[in-house]
PDB file of all heavy atoms in Angstrom:
ATOM      1  N   LYS A   1    -105.417-109.911   6.343  1.00 96.00           N
ATOM      2  CA  LYS A   1    -104.663-111.161   6.474  1.00 96.00           C
ATOM      3  C   LYS A   1    -105.015-111.861   7.779  1.00 96.00           C
ATOM      4  O   LYS A   1    -105.266-113.071   7.797  1.00 96.00           O
ATOM      5  CB  LYS A   1    -103.163-110.882   6.407  1.00 96.00           C
ATOM      6  CG  LYS A   1    -102.297-112.135   6.503  1.00 96.00           C
ATOM      7  CD  LYS A   1    -100.836-111.787   6.307  1.00 96.00           C
ATOM      8  CE  LYS A   1    -100.093-112.129   7.561  1.00 96.00           C
ATOM      9  NZ  LYS A   1     -98.660-111.835   7.480  1.00 96.00           N
ATOM     10  N   GLN A   2    -105.060-111.101   8.871  1.00 95.00           N
ATOM     11  CA  GLN A   2    -105.395-111.688  10.171  1.00 95.00           C
ATOM     12  C   GLN A   2    -106.821-112.234  10.175  1.00 95.00           C
ATOM     13  O   GLN A   2    -107.088-113.294  10.739  1.00 95.00           O
ATOM     14  CB  GLN A   2    -105.199-110.666  11.302  1.00 95.00           C
ATOM     15  CG  GLN A   2    -103.749-110.279  11.533  1.00 95.00           C
ATOM     16  CD  GLN A   2    -102.834-111.478  11.777  1.00 95.00           C
ATOM     17  OE1 GLN A   2    -103.190-112.417  12.465  1.00 95.00           O
ATOM     18  NE2 GLN A   2    -101.645-111.432  11.176  1.00 95.00           N
ATOM     19  N   GLU A   3    -107.735-111.517   9.530  1.00 95.00           N
ATOM     20  CA  GLU A   3    -109.117-111.997   9.439  1.00 95.00           C
ATOM     21  C   GLU A   3    -109.179-113.274   8.606  1.00 95.00           C
ATOM     22  O   GLU A   3    -109.886-114.218   8.943  1.00 95.00           O
ATOM     23  CB  GLU A   3    -110.018-110.929   8.828  1.00 95.00           C
ATOM     24  CG  GLU A   3    -111.474-111.336   8.816  1.00 95.00           C
ATOM     25  CD  GLU A   3    -112.405-110.245   8.323  1.00 95.00           C
ATOM     26  OE1 GLU A   3    -112.094-109.056   8.490  1.00 95.00           O
ATOM     27  OE2 GLU A   3    -113.454-110.606   7.763  1.00 95.00           O
ATOM     28  N   TYR A   4    -108.399-113.313   7.521  1.00 94.00           N
ATOM     29  CA  TYR A   4    -108.348-114.509   6.681  1.00 94.00           C
ATOM     30  C   TYR A   4    -107.826-115.697   7.482  1.00 94.00           C
ATOM     31  O   TYR A   4    -108.393-116.790   7.438  1.00 94.00           O
ATOM     32  CB  TYR A   4    -107.474-114.276   5.439  1.00 94.00           C
ATOM     33  CG  TYR A   4    -107.319-115.531   4.627  1.00 94.00           C
ATOM     34  CD1 TYR A   4    -108.302-115.909   3.714  1.00 94.00           C
ATOM     35  CD2 TYR A   4    -106.231-116.371   4.808  1.00 94.00           C
ATOM     36  CE1 TYR A   4    -108.193-117.091   2.998  1.00 94.00           C
ATOM     37  CE2 TYR A   4    -106.109-117.562   4.102  1.00 94.00           C
ATOM     38  CZ  TYR A   4    -107.092-117.907   3.203  1.00 94.00           C
ATOM     39  OH  TYR A   4    -106.994-119.090   2.508  1.00 94.00           O
ATOM     40  N   ILE A   5    -106.750-115.480   8.227  1.00 94.00           N
ATOM     41  CA  ILE A   5    -106.154-116.554   9.036  1.00 94.00           C
ATOM     42  C   ILE A   5    -107.163-117.054  10.072  1.00 94.00           C
ATOM     43  O   ILE A   5    -107.316-118.264  10.268  1.00 94.00           O
ATOM     44  CB  ILE A   5    -104.845-116.079   9.708  1.00 94.00           C
ATOM     45  CG1 ILE A   5    -103.752-115.908   8.641  1.00 94.00           C
ATOM     46  CG2 ILE A   5    -104.398-117.047  10.801  1.00 94.00           C
ATOM     47  CD1 ILE A   5    -102.500-115.211   9.141  1.00 94.00           C
ATOM     48  N   LYS A   6    -107.857-116.126  10.700  1.00 93.00           N
ATOM     49  CA  LYS A   6    -108.868-116.499  11.692  1.00 93.00           C
ATOM     50  C   LYS A   6    -109.952-117.374  11.052  1.00 93.00           C
ATOM     51  O   LYS A   6    -110.342-118.406  11.610  1.00 93.00           O
ATOM     52  CB  LYS A   6    -109.487-115.226  12.286  1.00 93.00           C
ATOM     53  CG  LYS A   6    -110.520-115.464  13.340  1.00 93.00           C
ATOM     54  CD  LYS A   6    -111.053-114.124  13.849  1.00 93.00           C
ATOM     55  CE  LYS A   6    -112.273-114.338  14.713  1.00 93.00           C
ATOM     56  NZ  LYS A   6    -112.966-113.091  15.003  1.00 93.00           N
ATOM     57  N   GLU A   7    -110.429-116.965   9.870  1.00 92.00           N
ATOM     58  CA  GLU A   7    -111.445-117.742   9.168  1.00 92.00           C
ATOM     59  C   GLU A   7    -110.907-119.108   8.754  1.00 92.00           C
ATOM     60  O   GLU A   7    -111.605-120.115   8.844  1.00 92.00           O
ATOM     61  CB  GLU A   7    -111.945-116.983   7.938  1.00 92.00           C
ATOM     62  CG  GLU A   7    -112.799-115.788   8.278  1.00 92.00           C
ATOM     63  CD  GLU A   7    -113.233-114.994   7.059  1.00 92.00           C
ATOM     64  OE1 GLU A   7    -112.985-115.434   5.899  1.00 92.00           O
ATOM     65  OE2 GLU A   7    -113.841-113.929   7.252  1.00 92.00           O
ATOM     66  N   LYS A   8    -109.656-119.142   8.313  1.00 92.00           N
ATOM     67  CA  LYS A   8    -109.031-120.400   7.882  1.00 92.00           C
ATOM     68  C   LYS A   8    -108.921-121.365   9.065  1.00 92.00           C
ATOM     69  O   LYS A   8    -109.266-122.543   8.947  1.00 92.00           O
ATOM     70  CB  LYS A   8    -107.641-120.108   7.304  1.00 92.00           C
ATOM     71  CG  LYS A   8    -106.884-121.342   6.871  1.00 92.00           C
ATOM     72  CD  LYS A   8    -105.517-120.983   6.335  1.00 92.00           C
ATOM     73  CE  LYS A   8    -104.742-122.239   5.984  1.00 92.00           C
ATOM     74  NZ  LYS A   8    -103.453-121.937   5.396  1.00 92.00           N
ATOM     75  N   LEU A   9    -108.454-120.863  10.199  1.00 91.00           N
ATOM     76  CA  LEU A   9    -108.313-121.712  11.380  1.00 91.00           C
ATOM     77  C   LEU A   9    -109.677-122.206  11.865  1.00 91.00           C
ATOM     78  O   LEU A   9    -109.813-123.359  12.279  1.00 91.00           O
ATOM     79  CB  LEU A   9    -107.575-120.963  12.502  1.00 91.00           C
ATOM     80  CG  LEU A   9    -106.107-120.648  12.220  1.00 91.00           C
ATOM     81  CD1 LEU A   9    -105.533-119.773  13.321  1.00 91.00           C
ATOM     82  CD2 LEU A   9    -105.296-121.920  12.054  1.00 91.00           C
ATOM     83  N   GLU A  10    -110.672-121.349  11.805  1.00 90.00           N
ATOM     84  CA  GLU A  10    -112.027-121.734  12.204  1.00 90.00           C
ATOM     85  C   GLU A  10    -112.570-122.813  11.261  1.00 90.00           C
ATOM     86  O   GLU A  10    -113.201-123.774  11.707  1.00 90.00           O
ATOM     87  CB  GLU A  10    -112.947-120.504  12.215  1.00 90.00           C
ATOM     88  CG  GLU A  10    -114.321-120.773  12.751  1.00 90.00           C
ATOM     89  CD  GLU A  10    -114.378-121.130  14.229  1.00 90.00           C
ATOM     90  OE1 GLU A  10    -113.392-120.926  14.964  1.00 90.00           O
ATOM     91  OE2 GLU A  10    -115.438-121.629  14.659  1.00 90.00           O
ATOM     92  N   PHE A  11    -112.289-122.686   9.975  1.00 89.00           N
ATOM     93  CA  PHE A  11    -112.718-123.701   9.015  1.00 89.00           C
ATOM     94  C   PHE A  11    -112.023-125.027   9.295  1.00 89.00           C
ATOM     95  O   PHE A  11    -112.656-126.088   9.273  1.00 89.00           O
ATOM     96  CB  PHE A  11    -112.435-123.258   7.576  1.00 89.00           C
ATOM     97  CG  PHE A  11    -112.722-124.328   6.565  1.00 89.00           C
ATOM     98  CD1 PHE A  11    -114.032-124.638   6.227  1.00 89.00           C
ATOM     99  CD2 PHE A  11    -111.699-125.037   5.971  1.00 89.00           C
ATOM    100  CE1 PHE A  11    -114.315-125.650   5.302  1.00 89.00           C
ATOM    101  CE2 PHE A  11    -111.966-126.049   5.060  1.00 89.00           C
ATOM    102  CZ  PHE A  11    -113.272-126.359   4.724  1.00 89.00           C
ATOM    103  N   GLN A  12    -110.711-124.972   9.589  1.00 88.00           N
ATOM    104  CA  GLN A  12    -109.976-126.198   9.892  1.00 88.00           C
ATOM    105  C   GLN A  12    -110.522-126.866  11.155  1.00 88.00           C
ATOM    106  O   GLN A  12    -110.559-128.082  11.256  1.00 88.00           O
ATOM    107  CB  GLN A  12    -108.479-125.897  10.046  1.00 88.00           C
ATOM    108  CG  GLN A  12    -107.813-125.556   8.736  1.00 88.00           C
ATOM    109  CD  GLN A  12    -106.381-125.070   8.894  1.00 88.00           C
ATOM    110  OE1 GLN A  12    -105.955-124.691   9.987  1.00 88.00           O
ATOM    111  NE2 GLN A  12    -105.634-125.065   7.808  1.00 88.00           N
ATOM    112  N   ARG A  13    -110.958-126.051  12.105  1.00 88.00           N
ATOM    113  CA  ARG A  13    -111.479-126.568  13.365  1.00 88.00           C
ATOM    114  C   ARG A  13    -112.878-127.158  13.199  1.00 88.00           C
ATOM    115  O   ARG A  13    -113.185-128.215  13.728  1.00 88.00           O
ATOM    116  CB  ARG A  13    -111.499-125.440  14.402  1.00 88.00           C
ATOM    117  CG  ARG A  13    -111.840-125.883  15.814  1.00 88.00           C
ATOM    118  CD  ARG A  13    -111.804-124.721  16.791  1.00 88.00           C
ATOM    119  NE  ARG A  13    -112.902-123.778  16.605  1.00 88.00           N
ATOM    120  CZ  ARG A  13    -114.157-123.984  17.004  1.00 88.00           C
ATOM    121  NH1 ARG A  13    -114.493-125.096  17.586  1.00 88.00           N
ATOM    122  NH2 ARG A  13    -115.075-123.074  16.798  1.00 88.00           N
ATOM    123  N   THR A  14    -113.741-126.469  12.424  1.00 87.00           N
ATOM    124  CA  THR A  14    -115.148-126.869  12.342  1.00 87.00           C
ATOM    125  C   THR A  14    -115.521-127.577  11.044  1.00 87.00           C
ATOM    126  O   THR A  14    -116.510-128.304  11.011  1.00 87.00           O
ATOM    127  CB  THR A  14    -116.072-125.633  12.461  1.00 87.00           C
ATOM    128  OG1 THR A  14    -115.841-124.777  11.334  1.00 87.00           O
ATOM    129  CG2 THR A  14    -115.840-124.889  13.753  1.00 87.00           C
ATOM    130  N   GLY A  15    -114.782-127.314   9.978  1.00 85.00           N
ATOM    131  CA  GLY A  15    -115.140-127.862   8.676  1.00 85.00           C
ATOM    132  C   GLY A  15    -116.261-127.083   7.999  1.00 85.00           C
ATOM    133  O   GLY A  15    -116.778-127.482   6.971  1.00 85.00           O
ATOM    134  N   ILE A  16    -116.652-125.954   8.589  1.00 82.00           N
ATOM    135  CA  ILE A  16    -117.730-125.129   8.038  1.00 82.00           C
ATOM    136  C   ILE A  16    -117.137-123.807   7.546  1.00 82.00           C
ATOM    137  O   ILE A  16    -116.499-123.093   8.310  1.00 82.00           O
ATOM    138  CB  ILE A  16    -118.815-124.842   9.102  1.00 82.00           C
ATOM    139  CG1 ILE A  16    -119.378-126.159   9.662  1.00 82.00           C
ATOM    140  CG2 ILE A  16    -119.930-123.985   8.509  1.00 82.00           C
ATOM    141  CD1 ILE A  16    -120.263-125.965  10.868  1.00 82.00           C
ATOM    142  N   ALA A  17    -117.374-123.495   6.279  1.00 80.00           N
ATOM    143  CA  ALA A  17    -116.881-122.238   5.716  1.00 80.00           C
ATOM    144  C   ALA A  17    -117.611-121.064   6.360  1.00 80.00           C
ATOM    145  O   ALA A  17    -118.769-121.191   6.754  1.00 80.00           O
ATOM    146  CB  ALA A  17    -117.088-122.219   4.205  1.00 80.00           C
ATOM    147  N   THR A  18    -116.959-119.922   6.451  1.00 74.00           N
ATOM    148  CA  THR A  18    -117.530-118.737   7.089  1.00 74.00           C
ATOM    149  C   THR A  18    -118.884-118.377   6.499  1.00 74.00           C
ATOM    150  O   THR A  18    -119.818-118.092   7.222  1.00 74.00           O
ATOM    151  CB  THR A  18    -116.576-117.537   6.935  1.00 74.00           C
ATOM    152  OG1 THR A  18    -115.326-117.901   7.509  1.00 74.00           O
ATOM    153  CG2 THR A  18    -117.102-116.311   7.630  1.00 74.00           C
ATOM    154  N   LYS A  19    -118.988-118.387   5.176  1.00 70.00           N
ATOM    155  CA  LYS A  19    -120.243-117.985   4.545  1.00 70.00           C
ATOM    156  C   LYS A  19    -121.379-118.960   4.848  1.00 70.00           C
ATOM    157  O   LYS A  19    -122.534-118.593   4.788  1.00 70.00           O
ATOM    158  CB  LYS A  19    -120.070-117.785   3.044  1.00 70.00           C
ATOM    159  CG  LYS A  19    -119.604-119.005   2.287  1.00 70.00           C
ATOM    160  CD  LYS A  19    -119.354-118.658   0.836  1.00 70.00           C
ATOM    161  CE  LYS A  19    -118.595-119.787   0.153  1.00 70.00           C
ATOM    162  NZ  LYS A  19    -118.065-119.377  -1.099  1.00 70.00           N
ATOM    163  N   ASN A  20    -121.054-120.200   5.199  1.00 63.00           N
ATOM    164  CA  ASN A  20    -122.084-121.187   5.528  1.00 63.00           C
ATOM    165  C   ASN A  20    -122.370-121.250   7.026  1.00 63.00           C
ATOM    166  O   ASN A  20    -123.363-121.818   7.446  1.00 63.00           O
ATOM    167  CB  ASN A  20    -121.671-122.578   5.049  1.00 63.00           C
ATOM    168  CG  ASN A  20    -121.537-122.636   3.543  1.00 63.00           C
ATOM    169  OD1 ASN A  20    -122.181-121.865   2.837  1.00 63.00           O
ATOM    170  ND2 ASN A  20    -120.702-123.511   3.054  1.00 63.00           N
ATOM    171  N   ARG A  21    -121.502-120.683   7.833  1.00 51.00           N
ATOM    172  CA  ARG A  21    -121.610-120.783   9.282  1.00 51.00           C
ATOM    173  C   ARG A  21    -122.796-119.996   9.835  1.00 51.00           C
ATOM    174  O   ARG A  21    -123.318-120.303  10.891  1.00 51.00           O
ATOM    175  CB  ARG A  21    -120.308-120.285   9.926  1.00 51.00           C
ATOM    176  CG  ARG A  21    -120.113-120.813  11.326  1.00 51.00           C
ATOM    177  CD  ARG A  21    -118.760-120.465  11.894  1.00 51.00           C
ATOM    178  NE  ARG A  21    -117.699-120.935  11.031  1.00 51.00           N
ATOM    179  CZ  ARG A  21    -116.674-120.188  10.647  1.00 51.00           C
ATOM    180  NH1 ARG A  21    -116.551-118.950  11.040  1.00 51.00           N
ATOM    181  NH2 ARG A  21    -115.754-120.670   9.850  1.00 51.00           N
ATOM    182  N   THR A  22    -123.241-118.985   9.124  1.00 53.00           N
ATOM    183  CA  THR A  22    -124.308-118.131   9.625  1.00 53.00           C
ATOM    184  C   THR A  22    -125.700-118.681   9.311  1.00 53.00           C
ATOM    185  O   THR A  22    -126.690-118.070   9.679  1.00 53.00           O
ATOM    186  CB  THR A  22    -124.181-116.708   9.054  1.00 53.00           C
ATOM    187  OG1 THR A  22    -124.185-116.791   7.635  1.00 53.00           O
ATOM    188  CG2 THR A  22    -122.916-116.036   9.536  1.00 53.00           C
ATOM    189  N   GLN A  23    -125.765-119.820   8.625  1.00 50.00           N
ATOM    190  CA  GLN A  23    -127.061-120.403   8.311  1.00 50.00           C
ATOM    191  C   GLN A  23    -127.755-120.838   9.593  1.00 50.00           C
ATOM    192  O   GLN A  23    -127.133-121.310  10.540  1.00 50.00           O
ATOM    193  CB  GLN A  23    -126.902-121.600   7.385  1.00 50.00           C
ATOM    194  CG  GLN A  23    -126.447-121.222   6.006  1.00 50.00           C
ATOM    195  CD  GLN A  23    -126.257-122.451   5.118  1.00 50.00           C
ATOM    196  OE1 GLN A  23    -126.250-123.565   5.588  1.00 50.00           O
ATOM    197  NE2 GLN A  23    -126.107-122.199   3.820  1.00 50.00           N
ATOM    198  N   LYS A  24    -129.076-120.708   9.592  1.00 48.00           N
ATOM    199  CA  LYS A  24    -129.861-121.074  10.771  1.00 48.00           C
ATOM    200  C   LYS A  24    -129.997-122.584  10.865  1.00 48.00           C
ATOM    201  O   LYS A  24    -130.117-123.272   9.856  1.00 48.00           O
ATOM    202  CB  LYS A  24    -131.248-120.434  10.697  1.00 48.00           C
ATOM    203  CG  LYS A  24    -131.208-118.928  10.803  1.00 48.00           C
ATOM    204  CD  LYS A  24    -132.589-118.338  10.714  1.00 48.00           C
ATOM    205  CE  LYS A  24    -132.489-116.825  10.807  1.00 48.00           C
ATOM    206  NZ  LYS A  24    -133.752-116.165  10.585  1.00 48.00           N
TER     207      LYS A  24
END
């Protein structure tokens, strides 16, 4: 749950989904 919340907040901040964030 905490990891999900962290990812959700990061998405809200950046607009980039976690799975897309690691792209070069």
Side-chain angles (χ1 to χ4, degrees):
K1 181 175 117 180
Q2 293 306 319
E3 185 175 331
Y4 175 83
I5 290 170
K6 181 180 169 191
E7 289 177 7
K8 178 181 177 177
L9 293 173
E10 186 66 14
F11 174 75
Q12 289 172 343
R13 188 178 71 77
T14 64
I16 303 170
T18 303
K19 60 185 167 194
N20 297 334
R21 202 173 304 132
T22 57
Q23 291 178 348
K24 293 179 181 174

